[in-house]
Amino acid sequence: ATGAAVSAPLASVLLSGCKPDTVANDLDYKLKFFDEEQFALVRQLVDVILPKTDSPSASDVKVHQVMDQFLGEVYTKEEQANYQKEFAAFKKYLEEQSFLKKNANEQLSSLTQIDGSNEAIQQTFLNLKQQTIAYYLTTEEIGKNYLNYLPIPGEYKGCISLEEVGGKAWAL
């Protein structure tokens, strides 16, 4: 259900040709949904969820900006109000855990331990994590350089080995 809720509006944005504003960095980005403090927290969270490895981190491909734009331009006013309420509770929970004062490994551990906390906090984190992954995998950088990418699909082959496609999953 969450996947459908995330992918349906995302598909409409992607199919309509909307793209996030091209910006040099966060200083040039104009916020559409989050305030500056929330935006900084979202940037930190997406990088804990998808840190830089042999591929770019989530913030390197501007997932936090896409998330802000999507929430500000696609969500209805009611959905925005619900998201703000849930995110405020999640932010308070993280502040109580001194999340921002921890190093990357401790932050990851804190987020992993959310599974045992209250259900609303757990659901808010799950939604954030799913959005982060969905937006990350649909960026041009990741699609073209880290996944198999075929802009005009050819023949459908249902059962092929991962080795036949260079050991990479397909971009969406």
Side-chain angles (χ1 to χ4, degrees):
T2 304
V6 168
S7 63
L10 176 62
S12 69
V13 168
L14 293 175
L15 294 174
S16 71
C18 294
K19 292 184 178 180
D21 298 332
T22 304
V23 295
N25 58 42
D26 285 345
L27 297 176
D28 297 332
Y29 180 73
K30 291 181 178 42
L31 294 173
K32 296 177 178 29
F33 180 74
F34 294 114
D35 64 31
E36 289 182 23
E37 188 178 333
Q38 291 171 327
F39 188 66
L41 177 60
V42 169
R43 181 186 176 118
Q44 183 64 36
L45 287 166
V46 300
D47 279 348
V48 172
I49 294 167
L50 291 170
K52 184 175 185 125
T53 57
D54 58 339
S55 61
S57 70
S59 68
D60 288 343
V61 294
K62 308 212 181 312
V63 166
H64 57 301
Q65 292 179 6
V66 173
M67 191 175 297
D68 177 68
Q69 181 177 11
F70 193 79
L71 290 165
E73 295 179 356
V74 176
Y75 274 35
T76 65
K77 295 294 182 196
E78 183 181 336
E79 291 169 330
Q80 288 175 344
N82 287 338
Y83 197 98
Q84 276 292 1
K85 185 177 106 182
E86 293 166 1
F87 190 80
F90 183 58
K91 182 176 177 281
K92 182 179 179 191
Y93 169 83
L94 293 175
E95 288 170 350
E96 291 168 356
Q97 305 296 315
S98 301
F99 180 80
L100 292 175
K101 295 179 182 174
K102 296 178 178 180
N103 67 38
N105 288 333
E106 293 170 332
Q107 288 177 340
L108 179 60
S109 178
S110 290
L111 293 178
T112 304
Q113 293 172 10
I114 288 176
D115 291 338
S117 67
N118 90 36
E119 193 173 323
I121 298 299
Q122 183 179 356
Q123 189 60 48
T124 301
F125 175 61
L126 179 61
N127 291 340
L128 179 77
K129 186 164 67 168
Q130 289 176 333
Q131 287 175 320
T132 300
I133 293 167
Y135 300 153
Y136 184 82
L137 292 175
T138 56
T139 63
E140 184 175 356
E141 166 81 12
I142 299 304
K144 284 187 174 179
N145 299 320
Y146 296 93
L147 298 171
N148 281 311
Y149 177 73
L150 187 59
I152 303 172
E155 176 185 359
Y156 173 76
K157 296 180 184 177
C159 294
I160 58 174
S161 69
L162 199 54
E163 290 76 32
E164 288 181 64
V165 291
K168 295 179 181 179
W170 284 98
L172 299 174

